[in-house]
Amino acid sequence: MDTSSRPPGNRVRRVSELRASDADRERVVTVLGEALADGRITMDEHAERTTRAYAARTLGELTGITGDLSPREAQPILVDDKPVSVMFGRTRREGRWVVPVKLPLFALFGTVELDLRDAVLQRRHIVVDSLVLAGRVRLLIPEGTRVNVTGRSVLSTRELRHRPVPDGPTIEINGTLLFGSIQARAPKRTLRSRMRNRLGRGG
């Protein structure tokens, strides 16, 4: 999970204006290569779009390059600051997507899954403004991320399996939770990392 940084006063108005990384450009180029291989685009189209991808400076410039090659949920870069909502079903955001400073979330008898492991955070402190009515919110978070539940909770449960570090990002779950549940978990530690942690404490 990446967090954007910029000088004070130079506020990014929209998530599409965030700077793209080399990894972001390579994600788009990979999709273009697959489209060329199965005949969805020609050699000339591949060359033109690849040139645009490597020249892109923002995430917004990258999103339009593969818009006609795969459905929205399969796009290599997802720039979307719209609310996340579900009713009597399940919805999921994953992959390389931009998490706005304040993310509205609504779940009515449904499940919202937010995979933040490859996401880009606009700030190191993100607020998920939630209204959960008999629904579930599931977070997949990177190592070192803190999850705070500060909203009003009525007859609801929470299960937070996180291992925050002092300077790590924070995901704050705000709003109202009624007859719902919140789960957050970080990736399981490998045996090597667990042994290294024990040896560090022992020293």
Side-chain angles (χ1 to χ4, degrees), residues 63-117:
T63 54
I65 297 176
T66 58
D68 60 344
L69 299 179
S70 55
R72 176 183 174 277
E73 63 274 9
Q75 288 293 316
I77 306 293
L78 179 59
V79 177
D80 186 0
D81 54 2
K82 297 179 181 178
V84 181
S85 62
V86 64
M87 297 176 61
F88 300 95
R90 180 187 303 268
T91 187
R92 179 181 178 92
R93 285 193 184 177
E94 60 183 334
R96 188 69 166 174
W97 65 289
V98 180
V99 186
V101 177
K102 190 173 184 179
L103 178 65
L105 182 151
F106 173 71
L108 174 63
F109 290 95
T111 300
V112 174
E113 296 183 352
L114 302 178
D115 189 340
L116 305 175
R117 293 173 295 181

Coordinates of all heavy atoms in Angstrom, one line a residue, residues 63-117:
T63 N -5.5 5.6 -16.8 CA -6.8 4.8 -16.8 C -7.5 4.7 -18.2 O -8.1 3.7 -18.5 CB -7.8 5.4 -15.8 OG1 -8.0 6.8 -16.1 CG2 -7.3 5.3 -14.4
G64 N -7.4 5.7 -19.0 CA -8.1 5.7 -20.3 C -7.4 4.8 -21.3 O -8.0 4.4 -22.3
I65 N -6.2 4.4 -21.1 CA -5.4 3.6 -22.1 C -6.0 2.2 -22.3 O -6.0 1.7 -23.4 CB -3.9 3.6 -21.7 CG1 -3.4 5.0 -21.7 CG2 -3.1 2.7 -22.7 CD1 -1.9 5.1 -21.3
T66 N -6.5 1.6 -21.2 CA -7.0 0.2 -21.3 C -8.5 0.2 -21.1 O -9.0 -0.9 -20.8 CB -6.2 -0.7 -20.3 OG1 -6.4 -0.1 -19.0 CG2 -4.7 -0.7 -20.6
G67 N -9.2 1.3 -21.1 CA -10.6 1.3 -20.8 C -11.4 0.4 -21.7 O -12.5 -0.1 -21.2
D68 N -11.0 0.1 -22.9 CA -11.8 -0.7 -23.8 C -11.3 -2.1 -23.9 O -11.7 -2.9 -24.8 CB -11.9 -0.1 -25.2 CG -10.5 0.1 -25.8 OD1 -9.5 0.0 -25.1 OD2 -10.4 0.3 -27.1
L69 N -10.4 -2.5 -23.0 CA -9.7 -3.8 -23.1 C -10.2 -4.8 -22.1 O -10.0 -6.0 -22.2 CB -8.2 -3.7 -23.1 CG -7.6 -2.8 -24.2 CD1 -6.1 -2.8 -24.0 CD2 -7.9 -3.4 -25.6
S70 N -10.8 -4.3 -21.0 CA -11.2 -5.2 -19.9 C -12.3 -4.5 -19.1 O -12.3 -3.2 -19.1 CB -10.0 -5.6 -19.0 OG -9.4 -4.5 -18.5
P71 N -13.1 -5.2 -18.4 CA -14.2 -4.6 -17.6 C -13.6 -3.8 -16.5 O -12.4 -3.9 -16.1 CB -15.0 -5.8 -17.0 CG -14.0 -7.0 -17.2 CD -13.2 -6.7 -18.3
R72 N -14.4 -2.9 -15.9 CA -13.9 -2.0 -14.9 C -13.2 -2.6 -13.8 O -12.1 -2.2 -13.3 CB -15.1 -1.2 -14.4 CG -14.8 -0.2 -13.2 CD -16.1 0.4 -12.7 NE -15.8 1.3 -11.6 CZ -15.7 0.8 -10.3 NH1 -15.9 -0.5 -10.1 NH2 -15.5 1.6 -9.3
E73 N -13.7 -3.7 -13.2 CA -13.1 -4.4 -12.1 C -11.8 -5.0 -12.4 O -11.0 -5.4 -11.5 CB -14.1 -5.4 -11.5 CG -14.4 -6.6 -12.4 CD -15.6 -6.3 -13.3 OE1 -16.0 -5.1 -13.3 OE2 -16.1 -7.2 -13.9
A74 N -11.5 -5.2 -13.7 CA -10.2 -5.9 -14.1 C -9.2 -4.9 -14.6 O -8.1 -5.3 -15.1 CB -10.5 -6.9 -15.1
Q75 N -9.5 -3.6 -14.5 CA -8.5 -2.6 -15.0 C -7.3 -2.6 -14.1 O -7.3 -2.8 -12.9 CB -9.2 -1.2 -14.9 CG -10.2 -1.0 -16.0 CD -9.7 -0.9 -17.4 OE1 -8.6 -0.4 -17.7 NE2 -10.3 -1.6 -18.3
P76 N -6.1 -2.4 -14.8 CA -4.9 -2.4 -14.0 C -4.7 -1.2 -13.0 O -4.1 -1.4 -12.0 CB -3.8 -2.3 -15.1 CG -4.5 -1.7 -16.3 CD -5.9 -2.2 -16.2
I77 N -5.4 -0.1 -13.3 CA -5.4 1.0 -12.4 C -6.9 1.5 -12.3 O -7.6 1.7 -13.3 CB -4.6 2.2 -13.0 CG1 -3.2 1.8 -13.3 CG2 -4.6 3.4 -12.0 CD1 -2.3 1.4 -12.1
L78 N -7.4 1.5 -11.0 CA -8.7 1.9 -10.8 C -8.7 3.2 -10.0 O -8.3 3.3 -8.9 CB -9.5 0.9 -10.0 CG -11.0 1.2 -9.7 CD1 -11.8 1.4 -10.9 CD2 -11.6 0.0 -8.8
V79 N -9.2 4.3 -10.7 CA -9.3 5.6 -10.1 C -10.7 5.9 -9.9 O -11.5 6.2 -10.8 CB -8.6 6.7 -10.9 CG1 -8.8 8.1 -10.3 CG2 -7.1 6.4 -11.1
D80 N -11.2 5.8 -8.6 CA -12.6 5.9 -8.4 C -12.8 6.4 -7.0 O -12.5 5.7 -6.0 CB -13.3 4.5 -8.5 CG -14.8 4.6 -8.4 OD1 -15.3 5.7 -8.2 OD2 -15.5 3.5 -8.6
D81 N -13.3 7.6 -6.8 CA -13.6 8.1 -5.5 C -15.1 8.1 -5.1 O -15.5 8.8 -4.2 CB -13.1 9.6 -5.3 CG -13.6 10.5 -6.4 OD1 -14.4 10.0 -7.2 OD2 -13.2 11.7 -6.4
K82 N -15.8 7.3 -5.8 CA -17.3 7.2 -5.6 C -17.5 6.3 -4.3 O -16.6 5.5 -4.0 CB -18.0 6.5 -6.8 CG -18.0 7.4 -8.0 CD -18.7 6.7 -9.2 CE -18.6 7.5 -10.4 NZ -19.3 6.8 -11.6
P83 N -18.6 6.5 -3.6 CA -18.9 5.6 -2.4 C -18.9 4.1 -2.8 O -19.3 3.8 -3.9 CB -20.3 6.1 -2.0 CG -20.4 7.5 -2.6 CD -19.7 7.5 -3.9
V84 N -18.6 3.3 -1.8 CA -18.7 1.9 -1.9 C -20.0 1.5 -1.3 O -20.2 1.8 -0.1 CB -17.5 1.2 -1.2 CG1 -17.6 -0.3 -1.4 CG2 -16.2 1.7 -1.8
S85 N -20.8 0.8 -2.0 CA -22.1 0.4 -1.5 C -22.6 -0.9 -2.0 O -22.2 -1.4 -3.1 CB -23.2 1.5 -1.9 OG -23.4 1.5 -3.3
V86 N -23.4 -1.6 -1.1 CA -23.9 -2.9 -1.5 C -25.2 -3.2 -0.7 O -25.3 -2.7 0.4 CB -22.9 -4.0 -1.2 CG1 -22.6 -4.1 0.3 CG2 -23.3 -5.4 -1.7
M87 N -26.1 -3.8 -1.4 CA -27.4 -4.2 -0.7 C -27.6 -5.7 -1.1 O -27.7 -6.0 -2.2 CB -28.5 -3.3 -1.3 CG -28.4 -1.8 -0.9 SD -29.7 -0.8 -1.6 CE -31.1 -1.5 -0.8
F88 N -27.7 -6.5 0.0 CA -28.1 -7.9 -0.2 C -27.1 -8.6 -1.2 O -27.5 -9.3 -2.1 CB -29.5 -8.1 -0.7 CG -30.5 -7.5 0.2 CD1 -31.0 -6.2 0.1 CD2 -31.0 -8.2 1.3 CE1 -32.0 -5.7 0.9 CE2 -31.9 -7.7 2.2 CZ -32.4 -6.4 2.0
G89 N -25.8 -8.3 -1.0 CA -24.9 -9.0 -1.9 C -23.5 -8.8 -1.4 O -23.2 -8.7 -0.2
R90 N -22.5 -8.7 -2.4 CA -21.1 -8.5 -2.0 C -20.5 -7.7 -3.1 O -20.7 -7.8 -4.3 CB -20.4 -9.9 -2.0 CG -18.9 -9.9 -1.7 CD -18.3 -11.3 -1.9 NE -19.0 -12.3 -1.0 CZ -18.6 -12.6 0.2 NH1 -17.6 -12.0 0.7 NH2 -19.3 -13.5 0.9
T91 N -19.6 -6.8 -2.6 CA -18.8 -6.0 -3.5 C -17.4 -5.9 -3.0 O -17.1 -6.1 -1.8 CB -19.4 -4.6 -3.7 OG1 -18.6 -3.9 -4.7 CG2 -19.2 -3.8 -2.4
R92 N -16.4 -5.8 -3.9 CA -15.0 -5.8 -3.5 C -14.2 -4.8 -4.4 O -14.4 -4.7 -5.5 CB -14.5 -7.3 -3.8 CG -13.0 -7.5 -3.5 CD -12.6 -8.9 -3.8 NE -11.2 -9.2 -3.5 CZ -10.7 -9.6 -2.4 NH1 -11.5 -9.9 -1.4 NH2 -9.4 -9.8 -2.2
R93 N -13.3 -4.2 -3.7 CA -12.3 -3.4 -4.4 C -10.9 -3.9 -4.0 O -10.6 -4.1 -2.9 CB -12.4 -1.9 -3.9 CG -13.6 -1.2 -4.6 CD -13.5 0.3 -4.4 NE -14.7 1.0 -4.9 CZ -14.9 2.3 -4.8 NH1 -14.0 3.1 -4.3 NH2 -16.0 2.8 -5.3
E94 N -10.1 -4.1 -5.1 CA -8.8 -4.7 -4.9 C -7.9 -4.3 -6.0 O -8.3 -3.5 -6.9 CB -9.0 -6.3 -4.9 CG -9.5 -6.8 -6.2 CD -9.7 -8.3 -6.2 OE1 -9.0 -9.0 -5.5 OE2 -10.6 -8.8 -7.0
G95 N -6.6 -4.7 -5.9 CA -5.7 -4.4 -6.9 C -5.1 -3.0 -6.7 O -5.0 -2.5 -5.5
R96 N -4.7 -2.3 -7.8 CA -4.2 -1.0 -7.7 C -5.3 0.0 -7.8 O -5.7 0.4 -8.9 CB -3.1 -0.8 -8.8 CG -2.3 0.5 -8.8 CD -1.4 0.4 -7.6 NE -0.4 1.5 -7.7 CZ 0.5 1.8 -6.8 NH1 0.5 1.0 -5.6 NH2 1.4 2.7 -6.9
W97 N -5.8 0.5 -6.6 CA -6.8 1.5 -6.6 C -6.5 2.6 -5.6 O -5.7 2.4 -4.7 CB -8.2 0.8 -6.3 CG -8.4 0.2 -4.9 CD1 -7.8 -0.9 -4.5 CD2 -9.2 0.8 -3.9 NE1 -8.2 -1.1 -3.2 CE2 -9.0 -0.1 -2.8 CE3 -10.0 1.9 -3.7 CZ2 -9.7 0.0 -1.6 CZ3 -10.7 2.0 -2.5 CH2 -10.5 1.1 -1.5
V98 N -7.1 3.7 -5.9 CA -6.8 4.9 -5.1 C -7.8 5.1 -4.0 O -9.0 5.1 -4.3 CB -6.7 6.2 -5.9 CG1 -6.4 7.4 -5.0 CG2 -5.7 6.0 -7.0
V99 N -7.4 5.1 -2.7 CA -8.3 5.3 -1.6 C -8.3 6.8 -1.2 O -7.3 7.3 -0.8 CB -7.8 4.5 -0.4 CG1 -8.9 4.6 0.7 CG2 -7.6 3.0 -0.8
P100 N -9.5 7.4 -1.4 CA -9.6 8.9 -1.1 C -9.4 9.1 0.4 O -9.5 8.2 1.2 CB -11.0 9.3 -1.6 CG -11.7 8.0 -1.5 CD -10.8 6.9 -1.9
V101 N -9.2 10.4 0.8 CA -9.0 10.7 2.2 C -10.2 10.3 3.0 O -10.1 9.8 4.2 CB -8.8 12.3 2.3 CG1 -8.7 12.7 3.8 CG2 -7.5 12.6 1.6
K102 N -11.4 10.5 2.5 CA -12.6 10.0 3.1 C -13.4 9.2 2.2 O -13.9 9.7 1.1 CB -13.5 11.3 3.6 CG -14.6 10.9 4.5 CD -15.3 12.2 5.0 CE -16.4 11.8 6.0 NZ -17.0 13.0 6.6
L103 N -13.6 7.9 2.5 CA -14.3 7.0 1.7 C -15.7 6.6 2.2 O -15.8 5.9 3.3 CB -13.5 5.7 1.5 CG -14.1 4.6 0.7 CD1 -14.3 5.0 -0.8 CD2 -13.3 3.3 0.8
P104 N -16.8 7.1 1.6 CA -18.1 6.7 2.1 C -18.4 5.2 1.8 O -18.1 4.7 0.7 CB -19.1 7.6 1.3 CG -18.2 8.7 0.7 CD -16.8 8.1 0.5
L105 N -19.0 4.6 2.8 CA -19.3 3.1 2.6 C -20.7 2.8 3.2 O -21.0 3.3 4.2 CB -18.2 2.3 3.4 CG -18.3 0.8 3.3 CD1 -16.9 0.2 3.4 CD2 -19.2 0.2 4.4
F106 N -21.5 2.1 2.4 CA -22.8 1.7 2.8 C -23.0 0.2 2.6 O -22.7 -0.3 1.5 CB -23.9 2.5 2.1 CG -25.3 2.0 2.3 CD1 -25.9 2.3 3.5 CD2 -26.0 1.3 1.3 CE1 -27.2 1.8 3.8 CE2 -27.3 0.9 1.6 CZ -27.9 1.1 2.8
A107 N -23.5 -0.5 3.6 CA -23.7 -2.0 3.5 C -25.0 -2.3 4.2 O -25.2 -2.1 5.4 CB -22.6 -2.8 4.1
L108 N -26.0 -2.8 3.4 CA -27.3 -3.2 3.9 C -27.4 -4.7 3.6 O -27.6 -5.1 2.5 CB -28.4 -2.4 3.3 CG -29.8 -2.9 3.6 CD1 -30.1 -2.7 5.1 CD2 -30.9 -2.1 2.8
F109 N -27.3 -5.5 4.6 CA -27.4 -7.0 4.5 C -26.5 -7.5 3.4 O -26.8 -8.4 2.6 CB -28.9 -7.4 4.2 CG -29.8 -7.3 5.3 CD1 -30.6 -6.2 5.4 CD2 -29.9 -8.3 6.3 CE1 -31.5 -6.0 6.5 CE2 -30.8 -8.1 7.3 CZ -31.6 -7.0 7.4
G110 N -25.3 -6.9 3.4 CA -24.3 -7.3 2.4 C -22.9 -7.2 2.9 O -22.7 -6.7 4.1
T111 N -21.9 -7.5 2.1 CA -20.5 -7.5 2.5 C -19.7 -6.6 1.6 O -19.8 -6.7 0.4 CB -20.0 -9.0 2.5 OG1 -20.7 -9.8 3.3 CG2 -18.5 -9.0 2.9
V112 N -18.9 -5.8 2.2 CA -17.9 -5.0 1.5 C -16.5 -5.4 1.8 O -16.2 -5.5 3.0 CB -18.1 -3.5 1.8 CG1 -17.0 -2.7 1.2 CG2 -19.4 -2.9 1.4
E113 N -15.8 -5.8 0.8 CA -14.4 -6.2 1.0 C -13.5 -5.2 0.4 O -13.6 -4.9 -0.8 CB -14.2 -7.6 0.4 CG -15.0 -8.7 1.0 CD -14.6 -10.0 0.4 OE1 -13.9 -10.1 -0.6 OE2 -15.1 -11.1 1.0
L114 N -12.6 -4.6 1.2 CA -11.6 -3.6 0.7 C -10.2 -4.2 0.9 O -9.7 -4.4 2.0 CB -11.7 -2.3 1.5 CG -13.1 -1.6 1.5 CD1 -13.0 -0.4 2.4 CD2 -13.5 -1.3 0.1
D115 N -9.6 -4.5 -0.2 CA -8.2 -5.0 -0.2 C -7.3 -3.8 -0.4 O -7.2 -3.3 -1.5 CB -8.0 -6.1 -1.4 CG -6.7 -6.8 -1.3 OD1 -5.8 -6.3 -0.6 OD2 -6.6 -7.9 -1.9
L116 N -6.5 -3.5 0.6 CA -5.7 -2.3 0.6 C -4.2 -2.7 0.4 O -3.3 -1.8 0.4 CB -5.8 -1.6 1.9 CG -7.2 -1.1 2.3 CD1 -7.3 -0.5 3.6 CD2 -7.8 -0.2 1.2
R117 N -3.9 -3.9 0.1 CA -2.5 -4.3 0.0 C -1.7 -3.7 -1.1 O -0.5 -3.4 -1.0 CB -2.4 -5.8 0.0 CG -2.9 -6.5 1.3 CD -3.0 -8.0 1.1 NE -4.0 -8.4 0.2 CZ -4.3 -9.7 -0.2 NH1 -3.6 -10.6 0.4 NH2 -5.2 -9.9 -1.0

